[in-house]
Amino acid sequence: MKYPIRSLEFKNNKLYLIDQRALPQQYKKFICENYRDVEFAIAEMVVRGAPAIGVTAAYGVVLAAFEFNELPIKQFLDQMHEACDIINSSRPTAVNLMWAIKRMRFFLIDNETPKNVLHKLKAEANQIADEDIRTNKKMGQFGNSLIPHKATILTHCNTGALATVEYGTALGVIRAAFEDGKEIFVYADETRPRLQGARLTAWELVQEGIPATLIADSVAATLIRDGKIDLILVGADRIAINGDCANKIGTFMLSVIAKVYDVPFYIVAPTTTIDFEIETGEEIEIEERSKEEVTHINGVQIAPENIDVYNPAFDVTPNENITAVITEKGIINKPFKENILKLK
Ligand code: MRU
């Protein structure tokens, strides 16, 4: 059975998220009735992927406005800013979250009634969601121009419809090439420890009928060395002005191998993933997640109880390992700093 892949939907004043923790065994919705549910959904990865987190956060602000709009304007604004702060700190690395909250805070002004503010916030969140879909389609078009017919593509983590509102970033480029009739083949890294590749990317690829094979992360080096990969497409969670990109843990390692064997390594990300306030990737906060993500699989313990665990969720790929960054505004080539600053 083919399921609709729209990661989130706002209806009847509630936010419906595809519960990404349950896929692929179960397709079910997680309903956010207030902004605390949104904070939980982002922190616990009910919803994940930089663009999807940003849009979810925007709707979290709308839910807070529904909760507080009967208050006098001053108290309303105090409560709204507190809600924004709480949502803003639900995960640290994907800058789309902070970007969306900043965009929503713009409407928190005191010469309006709370009801008017609520109305404007809802319209803005809908706009952010619509823009995300348009942006992904644009990146798909630009990225498709780089994909040769019969290309074999390696990807990491999940950058598909689930990681955005619809369509996807790196997986969106793969979708665009497939829709264009190119006979592409995809290798999807399983992406330990959360297995976004095995659980989510593989599910999207199977649903779309895109020819693909799932691999353990450690297989990628052999495929690259053996000349089996024509190009690598991955997403990003935050891009510094110099082109350094934070993405799912394991991306940096792939980029090093790609460089050694001269395989093109592309980042696909909307311009909302660029953090114009940081010069280099060294300034990006890397989230560390729980020990249990590594010591347990599906709730079953696989490592001894007393072992220490280091579990960073992201790493930074240095700009010199990146061939180009595909955005909705075009393909950004080197020199990255100069070309990224033109997008501001
Ligand atoms: O921890 P996650 O699953 O939120 O990490 C997701 C990624 O690293 C993606 O590659 C990135 O957000 C780009 S998604 C379009």
Side-chain angles (χ1 to χ4, degrees), residues 45 48-51 91 157-159 163 169 196 236-237 247-248 314:
M45 296 174 70
R48 28 67 48 206
R91 284 189 81 187
C157 196
N158 173 268
T159 60
T169 60
Q196 290 94 330
D237 289 83
N247 190 49
K248 180 52 52 197
F314 302 95

Side-chain angles (χ1 to χ4, degrees), residues 16 37 44 53 82 98 108 114 138 158 174 176 198 260 274 304 327 332:
Y16 293 76
D37 292 341
E44 295 301 317
I53 290 172
E82 192 185 315
M98 296 81 194
L108 301 179
K138 269 256 148 67
N158 173 268
I174 290 169
V260 168
I274 301 172
T327 75
I332 313 305

